Amino acid sequence: MCNKIVDLSVSRRTLMKGGAAAAAVAAAPAIHNWAFAEQIQKLEKEGWTKHPVACTMCGAYCGILAMRKEGEPISEKTVRIFPNPGHPQRGYCGRSAAAMWVWNHPLRLRKPLKRIGEKGEGQFKEVT
């Protein structure tokens, strides 16, 4: 057992500094989302429409906005993904940021496949 007495007193100045630092850390995500909201409004004025969706890359179902340029074919240049500032679970982690990459990946399965050879041979045919 320790016989040493520890002084846990905190000065008012130190307490105020800690409170200011905590407030800055708490406000940082709001500043980040404010910048996204500003960019979303700018795109809406340019003819983009927003579609609020939930990211399904994991179980958190974070709120994201899929923005689409009206009158253009769907491609990487006409669809943009943003965190949804109006959703309680605003998210924009690496998973949702990679949504366009996953959507356009050349190895992505686009139709169901049925194995036609022995297991492990890698022979498949498309089925409806």
Side-chain angles (χ1 to χ4, degrees):
M1 201 153 188
C2 182
N3 293 331
K4 196 178 215 182
I5 297 176
V6 180
D7 183 20
L8 297 176
S9 63
V10 177
S11 69
R12 182 176 185 272
R13 182 176 300 268
T14 304
L15 184 63
M16 294 300 283
K17 284 181 185 177
V25 168
I31 293 169
H32 183 259
N33 286 325
W34 175 71
F36 277 124
E38 208 171 71
Q39 192 172 6
I40 289 166
Q41 287 176 351
K42 180 183 171 197
L43 287 173
E44 281 183 309
K45 289 176 185 175
E46 294 175 3
W48 293 66
T49 57
K50 62 182 178 181
H51 305 276
V53 294
C55 177
T56 58
M57 298 293 247
C58 69
Y61 299 108
C62 297
I64 57 176
L65 286 176
M67 303 265 320
R68 181 173 180 266
K69 179 91 173 181
E70 283 301 316
E72 299 284 330
I74 295 175
S75 70
E76 288 183 23
K77 295 179 182 175
T78 61
V79 175
R80 295 191 185 164
I81 308 294
F82 293 100
N84 187 349
H87 193 275
Q89 180 71 22
R90 317 179 258 287
Y92 196 60
C93 66
R95 291 181 184 120
S96 58
M100 292 299 292
W101 179 80
V102 170
W103 180 40
N104 290 322
H105 197 278
L107 297 177
R108 177 180 157 223
L109 295 178
R110 299 185 187 268
K111 293 185 179 179
L113 301 175
K114 181 179 179 181
R115 186 174 62 228
I116 57 172
E118 289 295 317
K119 189 173 184 177
E121 289 181 2
Q123 297 177 355
F124 299 94
K125 83 173 189 180
E126 291 182 0
V127 294
T128 58

